[in-house]
Amino acid sequence: MQDKKCQNDNFKEAVCIHTDKVYDSCRDKDCLENIRVYLTGSAQCLVDRAINVKCTKAEIIWVFSDIESVPFNRGFYSVDLKYFFKITLAVFTGVGRPTEIEGLATFDKKVILFGSEGNAKVFRSKYKEDAFDSQLWKKTNMPNAVIEVNVTKRAV
């Protein structure tokens, strides 16, 4: 037998529980070539005197993302990405071991994704152990961009 205190027969409004939804996604591989590497003044002087320069390592240190709605295309969003790379170069200036220098390189990418046509307000909570869950309010159901970077090595 059910407890009468727990029953609520006056409930008439449907409530949705919002989870991360995937409306659209993209997966892309880019082979980056001839990217400008920004060096310090002393490193640039060393490269200017070099007889050979070889890239020994490229490491992604940050990805900046920006999401904006696409004008006149309801539900579509532009995701602008700027990748930042730390580039390690071996600079050969003559006989002997090369000198290692580091520089910074960037790469820009833009993708258009479908996010949603809704204009709903989104309310959610964030779990905190042994405390009240903090209540968060998000203005719209604008999509959330997650960037995964898988680095593959290629022979130079």
Side-chain angles (χ1 to χ4, degrees):
M1 186 167 164
Q2 290 184 348
D3 186 13
K4 293 270 184 187
K5 293 179 189 175
C6 293
Q7 287 183 338
N8 186 356
D9 294 331
N10 296 330
F11 184 76
K12 295 180 180 174
E13 185 178 356
V15 176
C16 295
I17 298 173
H18 195 73
T19 61
D20 286 340
K21 297 178 184 177
V22 178
Y23 292 104
D24 202 353
S25 66
C26 72
R27 172 170 262 168
D28 197 8
K29 283 186 179 182
D30 292 305
C31 182
L32 309 180
E33 295 178 338
N34 298 324
I35 291 184
R36 180 180 295 258
V37 178
Y38 297 94
L39 303 170
T40 63
S42 59
Q44 184 64 53
C45 286
L46 194 61
V47 169
D48 291 343
R49 296 180 316 166
I51 57 173
N52 191 16
V53 177
K54 181 179 178 182
C55 180
T56 58
K57 185 177 179 184
E59 176 186 356
I60 294 176
I61 54 175
W62 188 256
V63 179
F64 175 78
S65 62
D66 182 41
I67 303 173
E68 294 182 6
S69 60
V70 176
F72 309 111
N73 284 310
R74 186 176 171 172
F76 286 87
Y77 294 86
S78 166
V79 181
D80 296 301
L81 305 168
K82 184 177 223 40
Y83 293 85
F84 293 87
F85 300 92
K86 179 172 83 172
I87 307 295
T88 305
L89 302 170
V91 180
F92 298 85
T93 54
V95 179
R97 294 183 58 145
T99 305
E100 269 199 356
I101 61 172
E102 292 179 341
L104 178 72
T106 63
F107 173 68
D108 295 312
K109 186 174 185 80
K110 176 183 253 185
V111 294
I112 305 293
L113 299 175
F114 180 74
S116 174
E117 290 186 27
N119 227 359
K121 293 181 181 178
V122 179
F123 302 88
R124 64 182 177 94
S125 65
K126 184 171 180 130
Y127 173 74
K128 287 188 177 180
E129 190 173 342
D130 298 329
F132 288 111
D133 290 348
S134 57
Q135 302 299 307
L136 306 170
W137 180 68
K138 215 170 151 185
K139 289 184 178 178
T140 65
N141 56 345
M142 194 169 169
N144 183 28
V146 177
I147 296 93
E148 278 186 25
V149 179
N150 295 318
V151 180
T152 57
K153 292 184 180 180
R154 187 180 132 203
V156 182

